[in-house]
Amino acid sequence: MFARLVWLLMLLGVAVSVGAIEPPTIERADVKQVDLEPRDSTRSRAVPVRIYHSKQTGKQPVILFSHGLGGSRENSPYLGEYWASHGYVCVFMQHAGSDEDVWKAASLRERMSTLAKAASPKNLRDRIQDVSFVIDQLDKWNRESGHPLFERLDLEHLGMCGHSFGAVTTLAVAGQQYPLGKSFREPRIDAFLAMSPQTSEALAPEASFGQLASPILCMTGTRDDSPISERSSPSSRREVYRALPAGDKYELVFDGGTHFAFSDVVSFRTRGRDPDHHPSIQRIGLEFWNAYLKDQAPAKEWLKSENPKGDCPLKATDIWQWK
């Protein structure tokens, strides 16, 4: 039971005290990190954020990041620091109710079931509302003289990224369809990157994702499964891309890639993780943002070609495709 719990926590991108530690965040010389604690008074809910931004002046496009189940705003600094160093303001959100406090507050025996329960419709709705609240807050800070983010944010060019439960959140605000015609699309977001996406139990993939017109990049691996959801098999994750309509849609599939491919947890379970995965995620993600948040034609041409196979450390058996 204990070994399974440790495996589950690490699979979800959570650092645990037995055999797993988070690598320290080392601030790059060209990137500044700021932690802020905005509170949504209408919901009596705090939404902590960690922000990475270039030390250069001037407005830059914004990328929101949503962590996986049991994670925090401290996850995936390898993305925040890298993208910020290339001209983006990266805002990593923390979602109460499905963050690290869920498993830290539970007894060892109850942690697995507590985490599974946290992947609930209510927590998804809270996450969706967190996204809109954070965008509102960023707009306020951008206009607030003296604030660290004053006149730094180009909120007309906004991207959203997430891993696992964060990918579910990402596709929800992209406009995924739910039963009874419900949609939670956030119209202020322009492009979406979903790492380890998953299908819905309620609707077929085509009904869920077939109407999404925005640029979307899906990333997964041939061993990207989940211990808490049978529908999140490696093959089912790929059904998301297949269901998307043609037009600015992309898919990266790492041959042999697991859930760990997209996290930054270090443990005995991840010693065999392919060191080429993170550089590929960083670079392909960057070109995606350049194409759709900075409207760079060369980036679009690069994405719609075999160039990622040559310019990134991808294997011949990895899949890069677009439609």
Side-chain angles (χ1 to χ4, degrees):
M1 174 70 178
F2 179 73
R4 186 183 175 199
L5 172 62
V6 172
W7 177 74
L8 169 63
L9 293 175
M10 291 187 296
L11 182 66
L12 297 173
V14 177
V16 294
S17 59
V18 179
I21 57 171
E22 285 283 356
T25 298
I26 302 174
E27 184 172 317
R28 298 172 57 120
D30 53 347
V31 172
K32 185 174 179 60
Q33 176 183 299
V34 179
D35 287 350
L36 298 171
E37 314 287 334
R39 185 173 183 81
D40 185 350
S41 59
T42 64
R43 297 184 293 154
S44 299
R45 178 181 172 88
V47 188
V49 294
R50 171 162 291 181
I51 299 172
Y52 303 90
H53 66 84
S54 167
K55 295 181 180 179
Q56 298 179 356
T57 59
K59 292 186 177 182
Q60 297 180 336
V62 176
I63 301 168
L64 304 176
F65 185 88
S66 177
H67 63 75
L69 182 64
S72 76
R73 64 181 173 179
E74 298 179 10
N75 293 155
S76 302
Y78 81 98
L79 294 176
E81 293 178 353
Y82 182 84
W83 291 337
S85 72
H86 287 81
Y88 294 91
V89 177
C90 300
V91 181
F92 283 54
M93 302 171 286
Q94 183 161 332
H95 306 288
S98 57
D99 64 355
E100 63 183 8
D101 291 341
V102 172
W103 62 270
K104 285 183 175 180
S107 67
L108 185 60
R109 183 179 297 273
E110 296 176 340
R111 284 182 177 178
M112 185 177 295
S113 61
T114 300
L115 272 170
K117 290 177 182 177
S120 66
K122 178 188 180 302
N123 280 327
L124 177 57
R125 289 192 297 269
D126 285 338
R127 283 168 162 258
I128 292 167
Q129 292 175 329
D130 288 347
V131 173
S132 295
F133 165 71
V134 167
I135 296 173
D136 291 341
Q137 193 65 40
L138 291 172
D139 181 61
K140 177 182 177 181
W141 288 335
N142 200 35
R143 294 181 283 105
E144 187 177 314
S145 179
H147 193 276
L149 297 179
F150 177 59
E151 294 187 343
R152 284 187 172 274
L153 311 176
D154 175 8
L155 293 172
E156 294 299 315
H157 298 92
L158 182 60
M160 174 81 185
C161 178
H163 176 228
S164 196
F165 202 12
V168 174
T169 309
T170 297
L171 292 172
V173 297
Q176 177 178 346
Q177 290 292 305
Y178 293 90
L180 303 177
K182 289 187 178 181
S183 172
F184 303 97
R185 179 174 175 266
E186 173 49 79
R188 292 174 290 183
I189 304 178
D190 303 295
F192 305 86
L193 196 170
M195 299 183 291
S196 301
Q198 70 181 47
T199 55
S200 169
E201 290 182 333
L203 295 176
E206 292 75 15
S208 294
F209 308 109
Q211 79 295 333
L212 299 184
S214 300
I216 297 176
L217 167 58
C218 295
M219 294 184 177
T220 186
T222 60
R223 295 173 57 204
D224 187 358
D225 56 11
S226 169
I228 65 171
S229 175
E230 292 183 359
R231 74 176 185 273
S232 298
S233 65
S235 60
S236 71
R237 295 193 192 281
R238 297 200 61 193
E239 290 178 8
V240 175
Y241 173 77
R242 294 190 188 101
L244 293 170
D248 301 312
K249 307 299 190 298
Y250 306 89
E251 184 183 44
L252 172 64
V253 184
F254 291 119
D255 185 18
T258 70
H259 225 53
F260 295 116
F262 306 97
S263 71
D264 48 15
V265 172
V266 176
S267 75
F268 70 92
R269 291 281 186 181
T270 60
R271 287 175 185 166
R273 181 169 55 196
D274 193 323
D276 289 338
H277 286 161
H278 280 191
S280 296
I281 295 166
Q282 289 172 322
R283 173 69 190 282
I284 293 174
L286 175 63
E287 295 298 339
F288 180 72
W289 302 129
N290 287 343
Y292 297 104
L293 300 186
K294 293 185 177 180
D295 196 27
Q296 294 182 359
K300 292 181 182 179
E301 294 173 1
W302 187 88
L303 290 169
K304 297 176 181 180
S305 74
E306 293 298 326
N307 287 336
K309 282 274 193 172
D311 296 343
C312 296
L314 295 178
K315 296 178 174 57
T317 51
D318 293 336
I319 296 172
W320 171 251
Q321 61 180 335
W322 64 95
K323 59 182 177 180

